[in-house]
Amino acid sequence: MLILLFVLGAVAMRFLPHAWNFTPVIAMLLLAACYMKPKHLWVPVVALVGSDFALNAFVYHTPGRPDQYFTWASYFVVLGLAMWALKGRVRVASLIGTSLASSTAFFLISNFGVWLTGEMYPHSFSGLATCYAMGVPFFRNAAAGDLLYAGAFFALYAWLEQRHQQALRAAA
């Protein structure tokens, strides 16, 4: 139940003003991959996809774009990375490494989608390189946000779990 609050909180935070790509999305996916049962990992992805539709309709006033499929696919890649690297052994170094690997995977996949499905860049190696180069400022914000939120989410989750366990022991 606690993890669902993090999912809902991360989705809600997407609607608040923030620097471009400085969101808790990756951190929430990392946390979910660590503490949700694998059969329930569709929940955070559906929440993010739903929030993308809501953001497009009510905030950006634009229809969805084909490159969003690549963004959504990257969510599954992040979940896979986290399940492989963090499940049962969350340490500061592994969290930092997985957060940075997830930021990089998201950047590579989502920008590839922008290049492949869009009209902004020529469909050539040069166009792809330009697309990635233009995305670097967004990547910096994303990586910084992913690191900050991952540290905060995992620390808060551990603290809340500890408090919950203490309360259970005190009640027994």
Side-chain angles (χ1 to χ4, degrees), residues 5-6 11-13 15 18-20 24 34 37 41 48 51 54 60 62-63 66-67 75 91 93 95 98 120 127 140:
L5 295 176
F6 280 87
V11 166
M13 289 173 74
F15 290 86
H18 58 274
W20 279 106
C34 284
K37 292 180 180 175
L41 286 176
L48 290 171
S51 68
Y60 305 128
T62 182
D67 63 271
Y75 296 156
R91 303 286 181 264
L95 182 58
T98 306
M120 278 196 301
R140 274 191 229 117

Side-chain angles (χ1 to χ4, degrees), residues 80-94:
L81 278 169
M83 288 175 65
W84 174 76
L86 298 175
K87 199 73 164 184
R89 57 188 182 278
V90 177
R91 303 286 181 264
V92 172
S94 63

Side-chain angles (χ1 to χ4, degrees), residues 42-139:
W42 59 270
V43 172
V45 174
V46 168
L48 290 171
V49 170
S51 68
D52 281 341
F53 281 111
L55 284 165
N56 286 337
F58 302 115
V59 176
Y60 305 128
H61 306 289
T62 182
R65 300 173 324 275
D67 63 271
Q68 285 185 298
Y69 293 109
F70 289 84
T71 297
W72 300 335
S74 72
Y75 296 156
F76 288 104
V77 171
V78 169
L79 287 170
L81 278 169
M83 288 175 65
W84 174 76
L86 298 175
K87 199 73 164 184
R89 57 188 182 278
V90 177
R91 303 286 181 264
V92 172
S94 63
L95 182 58
I96 290 170
T98 306
S99 181
L100 291 173
S102 297
S103 302
T104 302
F106 180 86
F107 172 78
L108 293 172
I109 295 167
S110 62
N111 279 284
F112 181 79
V114 167
W115 170 77
L116 184 66
T117 64
E119 310 271 330
M120 278 196 301
Y121 305 101
H123 291 140
S124 63
F125 181 76
S126 159
L128 179 60
T130 301
C131 180
Y132 282 127
M134 297 302 288
V136 168
F138 299 100
F139 174 69

